[in-house]
Every structure is written in structure tokens, then in C-alpha cells.
Amino acid sequence: MIQAERPTTQRHASLRHLERTASGGVALSLGGTFGPSSDGATRDLIDPATGESFAAVAEATAADAGRAIAIARQAFDEGPWPETPALERARLLHKLADAIDANGADFAAMETLNCGKPLREAEYDVADAANCFRYYAGLATKPTGQTYDVPAPSMSFTVREPIGVCGQIVPWNYPLLMSSWKLAPALAAGNVCILKPSEYTPLSALWLAKIANEVGLPAGVLSVLPGAGPIAGAVLAESMLVDKIAFTGSVPTGQTIMRAAAGNVKKISLELGGKSPNIVFADADWPTAIDYALFGIYANAGQVCSAGSRLIVQHGIAAEFVAELVRRANDIVVGDGFAAGTEMGPLVSERQRDRVEEYIRVGLAEGATLACGGRRPAGPLGERGNFIVPTIFSDTKPSMRIVREEIFGPVLAVQTFADEAEAIRLANDSPYGLAGAVFTTDAARAHRVVRKLRAGITWINAYHPTYNEAPWGGYKQSGIGRELGTYGFEAYTEVKQINVNLAVEPSGWFAGSSTESSGDR
């Protein structure tokens, strides 16, 4: 592990864009109007790299969530947005995308300050977020219905209409990008949205709401509620006035949301993480397989729902492959996200760092071999920030917690296999099914294995590339539904069947029916 030098960049310059309350805290947004929470409470935000507080943000209450729901309900039921022509909605989303790009450097700095990721990763996220809005702006005007060849004199067709008021709860690992994944399709379809960002990383969502106002999003169409999930988020999930809830996060919280959503049988979309397998066969191209094994687990310090956290390597190459992987992992530059050369930043919070350290202790207690890492970096980084160096466990067993449970940190568990059948069995031996990859130069084998993986997102000879055009979601306990692509747009629509009688006359179904006009009676 190599430590990056301390940065000289101005860390807090991007915060000047945020709306403030009278007391100086960052304001929340209720339908586009910014202000304090109903009780004036705030939450301090902590820089993950330094442990220092850098801003206070209004902490949304249950009353604030109720007010946001009332505003959204009125905006959908009585406001112009659901009836706004698709071309106009598309025009506005294009403007929003352009505004994100125009402020890209500041958005990236805000993301790095708030969640700790290296600036180069944050820059990719910002560009991807802008392109997500552009993709759905384009999709908004495309055909969505169907017509059916039914017996004359009838015609039958379907239309897609917006669902209504959508509560959207996003995590802290990709604050701007996850907000965009949910807002872009929902707004393109004509819905109104209440976004609850993580209490750890609310800043980019709040600035996005401000920019949306500036480009012309009607009042009431978007609220942003920073605050705790069990308070603001629970109100959204339970409310009889919310038509859909979309959530990305942990399985236990997703289960809680499912139970709460049953109250009015609201639509739900859940993306609940994973423990994804990365299978490497003996004939794999080594430089490529090593490179993506590192990227799969150490990008964003392993805080990725689709992280390749289980490396499944064929017996004949396992020892040499892991030795090279350890050598490369030890060369990863760990440091402040603003520091030049940083390749891996801190975990988002002290709580998350402590959680990862507990899993490292569990792995050792279960008998796995610590091949590298398993500690905080020496010096100021480890003393002040939420850093864990790249960690690899070998000699694992399928029953171990570090193999079965989502750690959400820079910790890789290595498993080995003898043949194709065992690789598939190990890969699918998980309650999750979000992602998976296969590395081999045998094209036929690659397709056989990837088709057998019980996972929603898969790669052959790659790991992690994500596209706005393709669906995102998983099997089993990794969630319900899909985001992105046309699937993500359809998830924010209701399908209405319309039948038209082209011969306006009585059916004559009942014998006593009269075919004569009954006049005005």
C-alpha cells in the first residue's frame, strides 16, 4: 500500500453553491423551496479523509416528509408536470444535463469531499449522471404503447402513464449518480419525486435540486429530504399518498420498506446489494484478469453493490495468481481523494470503517489466511480518516461469513475450484444475485458459464462497466425490478388498456334489450 501526498486543493469551494438557512446550515428542499427543517435540527457532515466536520445540513423530520408528500401530491394531481408534453420534459432534462456538465468540476469536488472517493472517480460519476439525464430525455419522446389486432368493430391499444408521487431513497456510495438513476426516468415519464439522500452524503442531491429549479422544473415536482432513513424514509414508505418507493441499500432495510409499502400496495423497486463472484479460469489472460480483479473490489474502496468481492480461481493457477494479486494490491495508492495520484480513498464513515474491521476480525477468527492488508494505514491517514488498506483473504470456506455476507469495503475473499461445474456451484452459492464475471479465452466456455450465473449483471473478460442504456438489478435477495435502460423508464409508468367500440350501438346481449332510442330518460 502506497500513501498519496496530502492535497493542496481547496476542499470546500464547491459548497458555495448550496442554499443556506438563516443559521448558515445547508437547507433542505420542499418542492423547490429551500429552508430549515421543521424543528431547526441539523446534522454535521464529516470529511471521511480527515475526520473533520465541514458543514451542517438541515435534518428532515417526519413533519418535513409529510409536508413534502402533500406538496408532491398536489403537484401531481393538480399541477402541469404530468400533462407537460414529452418534448418539453425532454428539453428540460437536456438543460439539466448541460448544467451538470457546466458545473462538473465543482460537483466532482463536492462528491469527493462528502463521500471520500478519489477525484478521478467522482469526475466519471458526474459525467455519467449528466448522460443519464440525456438518455432519458431522449427516451421520453419515443413510442411506448402497443396496438392490438382485435375483432371488429373494436380497436384496442395501450398507453403508458406516470405512476404519480415517487419516494426515492439513495445510498451514500454514489450520491449524485444514484440520484440521477432514479430521478431521470421518473421525471421523463411525468412523475413527481421526493428524494431522500443518505444522511452522510446529501450535498450533491441538494445542489441538483437547486439546478433543477434554475432550469425550469415546476414547483412541487422535486423535493430533497436529507435525514435519517428510519424517520424521513419511513414516512415515504408508509404514506398512503405515495404511489411508488424506489430504494437502493441493504437487504434488512429493503425488507422493512416492503412491509411498509404493503399499506397501500405501492409499487416498489429494490436494489439490495450483493456478494458477487468473479471467476478466473486457468486459460484467462492474466494481465486482464488481474487488472479487473483489482478494479472489481477496490474501486470506490469496495463500497459498490456489484463489487467482485468473491474471487473464484481455478486450482492450477490459484497460488501464483493470488501472489501477483497481493503484490499489485500492495501497490495501490491509498490517500485523500483530493491528493494527486490517489487510487483508493477512505470509507464513507467511521461507522463503516468499524464494520469492515469487524469483518476482518471475523475472517481471522474463522480461520481464513490474511494474504495482505487487514489494517489501517500508518500515520495521519489511519489516525484521522476512515481508511482501510486493500485486504485479501485466502484459504476460505463457503460457510465463512466473509464469503457469504456483504462487507462493503476493500476486502476480497478468494475461493478455488477444480472444474467448470464447481465454479458455477460456488458462484451461485449465495443468497445474492446481483453481478458476476467470467475470465477465460474459451468463448464457448465463457458463454456457458455466464448463462448459468444466477445474476442480473454479468461480464465476460471485464468487470464493472455500467451503461445507462442497459438494465441494472439482480436476482434473489439482490432486489426487485430493474433500473436504467428502457426497463428503468417503464418502472415509473402504469400501463393502461384502452378499448374503443367503432360501431356505437347496443350489444344486444340480453334478450329484452331494446334497440330503440330511449330518449333522455
Side-chain angles (χ1 to χ4, degrees):
M1 185 277 299
I2 301 171
Q3 294 189 22
E5 294 296 321
R6 291 285 295 162
T8 57
T9 307
Q10 173 53 254
R11 306 180 68 85
H12 301 156
S14 61
L15 302 188
R16 70 186 184 279
H17 300 291
L18 297 168
E19 292 289 335
R20 304 282 178 162
T21 66
S23 63
V26 178
L28 55 77
S29 172
L30 294 180
T33 299
F34 289 84
S37 62
S38 62
D39 63 0
T42 60
R43 177 188 294 266
D44 286 340
L45 299 184
I46 307 299
D47 184 337
T50 66
E52 299 171 351
S53 174
F54 65 87
V57 179
E59 179 84 349
T61 65
D64 294 322
R67 177 62 179 149
I69 292 168
I71 291 170
R73 189 75 262 170
Q74 183 176 17
F76 184 78
D77 294 339
E78 303 174 19
W81 186 246
E83 305 301 325
T84 299
L87 190 62
E88 176 60 19
R89 295 200 302 271
R91 185 191 66 81
L92 190 146
L93 293 184
H94 275 299
K95 288 182 65 177
L96 184 54
D98 290 343
I100 294 172
D101 274 342
N103 294 279
D106 282 344
F107 261 121
M110 187 180 291
E111 292 287 88
T112 293
L113 174 64
N114 206 178
C115 66
K117 65 180 58 184
L119 195 59
R120 66 173 184 170
E121 289 189 29
E123 289 168 348
Y124 276 109
D125 292 352
V126 173
D128 208 13
N131 287 333
C132 185
F133 279 100
R134 288 194 181 94
Y135 173 77
Y136 284 106
L139 200 59
T141 59
K142 302 305 179 285
T144 58
Q146 297 179 347
T147 60
Y148 308 101
D149 187 1
V150 298
S154 297
M155 66 176 295
S156 183
F157 62 96
T158 60
V159 295
R160 287 191 177 270
E161 298 179 340
I163 290 176
V165 175
C166 300
Q168 301 169 314
I169 304 173
V170 298
W172 40 257
N173 56 339
Y174 290 91
L176 178 63
L177 193 55
M178 293 294 98
S179 297
S180 302
W181 281 19
K182 286 178 169 54
L183 290 175
L187 294 174
N191 296 280
V192 300
C193 300
I194 305 169
L195 180 69
K196 199 211 81 64
S198 167
E199 58 268 38
Y200 294 116
T201 56
L203 298 183
S204 56
L206 289 165
W207 189 19
L208 186 63
K210 179 184 177 183
I211 289 176
N213 284 359
E214 292 170 352
V215 301
L217 191 70
V221 173
L222 174 59
S223 293
V224 177
L225 298 175
I231 298 175
V235 173
L236 297 179
E238 295 167 0
S239 174
M240 305 294 277
L241 299 177
V242 174
D243 302 300
K244 176 183 172 72
I245 195 83
F247 169 76
T248 298
S250 70
V251 170
T253 304
Q255 292 169 329
T256 299
I257 287 172
M258 287 184 73
R259 288 189 288 267
N264 67 331
V265 198
K266 59 171 59 69
K267 303 292 186 294
I268 57 172
S269 298
L270 304 175
E271 200 266 88
L272 304 179
K275 190 72 176 179
S276 299
N278 184 8
I279 304 170
V280 179
F281 284 90
D283 69 340
D285 179 84
W286 272 49
T288 301
I290 291 284
D291 177 78
Y292 278 107
L294 295 167
F295 186 51
I297 185 58
Y298 299 127
N300 202 22
Q303 300 169 119
V304 186
C305 53
S306 59
S309 52
R310 289 188 294 142
L311 180 65
I312 304 176
V313 189
Q314 198 156 20
H315 284 318
I317 64 166
E320 188 178 355
F321 191 92
V322 171
E324 176 63 12
L325 197 67
V326 167
R327 185 188 71 78
R328 290 283 303 277
N330 285 330
D331 286 341
I332 291 174
V333 181
V334 177
D336 190 309
F338 286 101
T342 290
E343 296 176 318
M344 194 181 91
L347 299 173
V348 73
S349 66
E350 182 179 355
R351 177 182 177 184
Q352 184 63 15
R353 182 199 63 198
D354 292 347
R355 181 177 185 271
V356 172
E357 288 181 324
E358 175 60 24
Y359 270 107
I360 292 170
R361 287 190 287 269
V362 166
L364 291 169
E366 289 179 325
T369 298
L370 184 63
C372 70
R375 60 177 177 81
R376 304 178 190 182
L381 281 184
E383 293 166 2
R384 302 173 61 198
N386 304 319
F387 293 90
I388 298 289
V389 303
T391 298
I392 298 174
F393 278 104
S394 60
D395 302 315
T396 66
K397 297 178 181 178
S399 60
M400 290 179 174
R401 288 180 60 194
I402 59 169
V403 174
R404 301 200 65 78
E405 298 178 15
E406 185 175 38
I407 299 173
F408 224 64
V411 180
L412 179 66
V414 179
Q415 299 174 271
T416 60
F417 69 92
D419 55 23
E420 186 175 312
E422 186 180 16
I424 294 167
R425 180 179 60 78
L426 289 172
N428 288 333
D429 183 18
S430 172
Y432 296 103
L434 183 57
V438 180
F439 285 82
T440 176
T441 54
D442 183 333
R445 171 193 283 156
H447 285 274
R448 282 197 307 270
V449 174
V450 87
R451 289 293 297 270
K452 289 288 187 179
L453 293 183
R454 297 280 295 161
I457 308 148
T458 60
W459 298 274
I460 294 174
N461 294 323
Y463 206 102
H464 268 333
T466 300
Y467 308 101
N468 290 312
E469 297 83 357
W472 182 273
Y475 292 20
K476 298 186 280 186
Q477 291 186 31
S478 285
I480 297 173
R482 295 293 185 270
E483 295 186 303
L484 298 182
T486 57
Y487 299 86
F489 182 83
E490 291 171 355
Y492 284 98
T493 64
E494 294 276 23
V495 178
K496 177 178 287 183
Q497 178 188 158
I498 300 175
N499 300 294
V500 182
N501 180 11
L502 299 177
V504 184
E505 59 186 25
S507 69
W509 182 261
F510 296 105
S513 298
S514 172
T515 59
E516 296 180 1
S517 173
S518 59
D520 295 330
R521 290 179 298 168

